[in-house]
Amino acid sequence: MRVSPALLLIAAAAPALAQTPVQEAPEIVVVGTPLKAPPGTPAYGSVVIARDRLTSDASGRVEAILLDVAGFQQFRRTDSRSANPSAQGVTLRALGGNATSRALVLLDGVPIADPFFGHIPFNAIVPGQLGTVRVTRGGGAGAFGAGAVAGSIDLQSAAREELPVLSATADYGSFDSVRVEAGAAPRLGRGFVALSGRWETSGGFFTTPPEQRVAATARAAFTNWSASARAVAPIDPDTEVQGRITLYRDDRTLRFVGADSFAEGQDASIRLIHRGRWQLDALAYVQARDFGNKVVSATSFRQTLDQRNTPATGIGGKLELRPPVGGGHVLRIGGDVRHAAGTLAEDAFSGATSLLTARRSAGGSITNAGLFVEDDWTIGAVVLTGGVRLDHWAISGGFFREANASGTPTTDRSFADRRGTEATGRGGLVWRVAPGLALRGAGYTGYRLPTLNELYRPFVVFPVTTQANAALAPERLRGGEVGADVAPWRGITISVTGFHNWLEGAIGNVTIAPNLRQRQNLAAIVARGVELTGNARRGPWSITASYAYSDSRVRQPGPLNGLAPAQSPQHSVSTTVRWAPRHGSIVSATLRHVGAQFEDDSQTDILPAATTLDAAALLPLRHGLALALRAENIGDARVVTRNAGGSIDLGTPRTLWIGVRLTP
């Protein structure tokens, strides 16, 4: 594994689900946390997932916990144990399935999407190291807002007070699966260091249904690990430096023997927080990523493609200032920049003879720089919020080259550099009509640039070939929503939101011939619907529930017009019941349902509806030690994750776990 010198420099410098409540709690400054969320944040229907939920899910995976939020979806109905890493895109509100994330995902303020593919490396995130997750749906305008066309997911690391000095977990499960986690969070003067590591391996389950298995069919085996170190060093009572370094490696086999993939990364960031009268949030980050993938023919079962590696680099930062303007205002002024560069190298082979037929390379770079200003104005029971962004972007150095087996060039294309400017904005209000009742409304615009993967990398998921498109334009969103947050009785909150989003130029995989698709800008995807979230807590019992109804349609001249976009279910439901008495036991159960959706743009292949039930229990054995029991998909529901002309992949079957947890 290669470690960038820039990562080492930053690492060395590092030490120097509940709906947003109707009434915000008083601010309590905790070392290692970000600046407080502005008071207008609830206008955009934000949802918060608390730490107790993050540490008690049966899967132990962030992407599964995010399914608690109505409308959240990944490109495939599977988690990071059995999906191709490059397909782990995230979206909200049924804006069309895409392997690239349409939602902006931040970890301690840093965008973590892969610089080349735009997917999220969920295997690198350990839920037990997080304090909260805030999901805000709709277009974004603040820091790094250029990319939040579907919303933003803000992952915040746990504060020192939330982390035990020492922690450890060891689990054994179905399919000869093992997972080991360990963490340490010692104090260092007035600051602290949080160290964590996770290693897991599994023989894997069959993603291929029994009736389609052949001699070359393989289980979805995997081995992955991640390690992170986060340091927080106070400079004075109002100022601190936060630094992070994360390393990870993920190896998987999917569907056939030899169809192996890997993903690895080395990320580092440094952040300066000042909480005085002039508040400041400044950060810089660097990411070194790589990906490789081998494709095996579903007819000859020979390797047809070896995508040897896809090295990519992401560099960026932001500066945000909150001057003390007074008068009930919280003003945010700042700017941010992101630069992504990457190159793929792959070899193609004959499926009949296994002989090398071609060598290909492609790549380029994308830069986005923006300025933003937002203001939240509290006037009695009303909070008004509004913001604008001005972004300048550039796509440059794009190329695609191919040579035959003897090394003679057959294709050498260089694509014209492009640049442009985008203005986006959002605005909203929260009106606290009475104790326990708040009304809200918001409108927004947003945009997302195509990724290097969408622009330059073709790919094959047999038997379908998808072509890249170097002429792709940015996606642009216009949308609005209205909602209400109600707390009718103590411990109960109910939220309802109605929305209407218009995604112009949505990038989709469009069928242009049998077994041939191309990435194209659709005229638009129009999504409208309703989201419901409810929470109830009484004594040791708590219930969280969410439901999303999304009517999403393609607007496009021709046969696609009026059809539902690919990978976009109309209904999704999630409910979790949790029991946590004072003696330390924790028992929870999660029921989820996702409606039917289509695999492709032409609606020829369907993914049927699926309902799953998970459960988890933590039972104290003696002081500091507990028995951990987990069960995923208890009913062994058949969850179809891919259907290409009847060639089917399945998601996680019934999976049982037993383990021990150190709980000092």
Side-chain angles (χ1 to χ4, degrees):
M1 181 178 63
R2 300 176 300 278
V3 179
S4 164
L7 293 178
L8 297 177
L9 288 174
I10 290 183
L17 159 75
Q19 183 79 23
T20 302
V22 173
Q23 181 62 48
E24 293 283 346
E27 179 178 11
I28 299 175
V29 176
V30 179
V31 172
T33 58
L35 296 179
K36 185 181 179 182
T41 302
Y44 306 103
S46 65
V47 176
V48 174
I49 301 175
R51 177 169 169 78
D52 58 1
R53 177 70 182 111
L54 293 167
T55 56
S56 61
D57 184 71
S59 70
R61 318 196 76 78
V62 172
E63 64 270 31
I65 299 168
L66 285 169
L67 291 170
D68 287 3
V69 179
F72 170 88
Q73 69 176 104
Q74 290 196 94
F75 179 57
R76 295 288 182 194
R77 295 174 170 182
T78 186
D79 62 36
S80 53
R81 292 169 293 187
S82 59
N84 188 290
S86 64
Q88 292 176 202
V90 170
T91 191
L92 298 160
R93 290 185 168 167
L95 285 173
N98 195 317
T100 297
S101 286
R102 286 195 167 109
L104 173 67
V105 183
L106 304 169
L107 176 59
D108 293 332
V110 176
I112 61 172
D114 184 87
F116 191 94
F117 294 95
H119 69 264
I120 307 302
F122 281 116
N123 270 338
I125 304 170
V126 180
Q129 296 297 309
L130 299 177
T132 61
V133 175
R134 182 184 290 273
V135 180
T136 304
R137 293 163 290 207
F144 300 117
V149 292
S152 61
I153 300 173
D154 190 8
L155 311 172
Q156 293 293 341
S157 291
R160 171 62 186 84
E161 289 72 13
E162 296 175 302
L163 295 171
V165 175
L166 292 173
S167 61
T169 299
D171 295 309
Y172 180 80
S174 304
F175 317 114
D176 202 21
S177 303
V178 178
R179 188 181 75 178
V180 178
E181 294 182 10
R187 292 187 181 276
L188 292 178
R190 292 182 293 117
F192 68 94
V193 174
L195 307 173
S196 73
R198 178 170 66 180
W199 176 84
E200 55 186 346
T201 187
S202 175
F205 59 89
F206 283 112
T207 59
T208 305
E211 65 274 14
Q212 296 185 0
R213 292 175 195 166
V214 296
T217 299
R219 292 176 178 268
F222 67 87
T223 297
N224 63 66
W225 62 265
S226 66
S228 68
R230 181 171 182 253
V232 178
I235 298 174
D236 60 41
D238 295 324
T239 311
E240 65 186 51
V241 177
Q242 304 174 6
R244 168 188 287 277
I245 184 166
T246 299
L247 313 175
Y248 69 89
R249 170 82 185 197
D250 179 20
D251 292 275
R252 310 183 197 178
T253 297
L254 296 175
R255 196 169 175 81
F256 296 117
V257 174
D260 303 326
S261 67
F262 78 87
E264 66 176 25
Q266 306 96 45
D267 297 1
S269 63
I270 188 166
R271 187 179 196 181
L272 177 67
I273 298 285
H274 178 69
R275 299 185 178 88
R277 292 186 67 249
W278 288 76
Q279 296 187 355
L280 177 70
D281 185 354
L283 69 83
Y285 69 87
V286 60
Q287 300 160 334
R289 306 279 181 87
D290 201 359
F291 170 78
N293 185 54
K294 296 180 179 180
V295 178
V296 172
S297 167
T299 53
S300 68
F301 311 112
R302 296 174 182 265
Q303 181 176 299
T304 58
L305 185 70
D306 182 6
Q307 187 177 339
R308 301 192 310 275
N309 59 356
T310 315
T313 302
I315 301 173
K318 79 158 186 177
L319 180 66
E320 177 183 322
L321 184 66
R322 299 185 183 184
V325 294
H329 292 272
V330 176
L331 179 64
R332 304 165 61 202
I333 304 171
D336 56 70
V337 62
R338 283 187 284 180
H339 175 77
T343 304
L344 74 85
E346 63 183 25
D347 298 334
F349 300 87
S350 167
T353 65
S354 297
L355 295 177
L356 178 69
T357 59
R359 295 187 184 276
R360 305 184 189 111
S361 62
S365 65
I366 298 175
T367 302
N368 191 102
L371 299 173
F372 63 89
V373 56
E374 286 198 281
D375 183 50
D376 292 51
W377 185 15
T378 302
I379 314 170
V382 176
V383 179
L384 302 176
T385 179
V388 294
R389 275 187 67 95
L390 182 65
D391 286 277
H392 180 74
W393 57 267
I395 299 174
S396 59
F399 71 93
F400 179 85
R401 300 186 184 110
E402 185 173 71
N404 60 23
S406 63
T408 303
T410 57
T411 303
D412 189 350
R413 278 187 259 171
S414 295
F415 303 105
D417 294 348
R418 293 184 287 154
R419 61 188 66 245
T421 302
E422 299 284 340
T424 55
R426 64 179 180 179
L429 66 86
V430 180
W431 177 25
R432 306 190 191 283
V433 179
L437 174 61
L439 304 179
R440 48 187 167 80
Y444 33 76
T445 62
Y447 91 103
R448 179 186 75 86
L449 289 170
T451 62
L452 296 171
N453 175 56
E454 292 170 317
L455 291 165
Y456 306 126
R457 173 186 170 256
F459 69 95
V460 178
V461 178
F462 190 88
V464 179
T465 297
T466 301
Q467 299 175 340
N469 184 351
L472 288 172
E475 298 180 336
R476 297 177 176 88
L477 177 86
R478 290 178 285 125
E481 61 190 73
V482 293
D485 303 327
V486 183
W489 299 282
R490 182 180 178 87
I492 297 177
T493 60
I494 301 170
S495 299
V496 58
T497 302
F499 65 90
H500 189 289
N501 286 180
W502 180 287
L503 185 62
E504 180 183 344
I507 298 171
N509 298 332
V510 177
T511 300
I512 57 178
N515 294 330
L516 182 63
R517 299 173 188 162
Q518 185 188 48
R519 298 187 182 98
Q520 294 182 6
N521 288 108
L522 301 172
I525 291 177
V526 180
R528 52 190 170 224
V530 177
E531 298 156 342
L532 296 170
T533 301
N535 302 276
R537 185 180 297 271
R538 183 178 179 86
W541 292 92
S542 64
I543 300 175
T544 62
S546 68
Y547 166 72
Y549 167 78
S550 304
D551 180 18
S552 187
R553 300 291 170 181
V554 173
R555 295 290 181 261
Q556 174 88 349
L560 298 183
N561 190 56
L563 299 184
Q567 308 292 336
S568 299
Q570 197 167 61
H571 302 276
S572 60
V573 181
S574 177
T575 301
T576 297
V577 179
R578 189 171 186 269
W579 178 64
R582 293 183 179 179
H583 59 71
S585 295
I586 301 173
V587 180
S588 66
T590 299
L591 180 70
R592 292 196 175 102
H593 173 82
V594 59
Q597 61 195 61
F598 293 100
E599 170 73 29
D600 60 341
D601 61 308
S602 57
Q603 298 190 359
T604 55
D605 299 314
I606 195 168
L607 308 181
T611 303
T612 60
L613 175 65
D614 299 342
L618 188 67
L619 308 173
L621 298 176
R622 52 177 296 181
H623 179 68
L625 193 65
L627 176 68
L629 303 173
R630 297 184 287 126
E632 303 177 64
N633 193 2
I634 294 173
D636 203 23
R638 179 183 168 104
V639 182
V640 178
T641 64
R642 184 186 69 90
N643 180 3
S647 175
I648 288 174
D649 283 346
L650 302 177
T652 305
R654 181 190 295 117
T655 305
L656 306 177
W657 296 85
I658 185 171
V660 292
R661 182 177 298 181
L662 179 66
T663 55

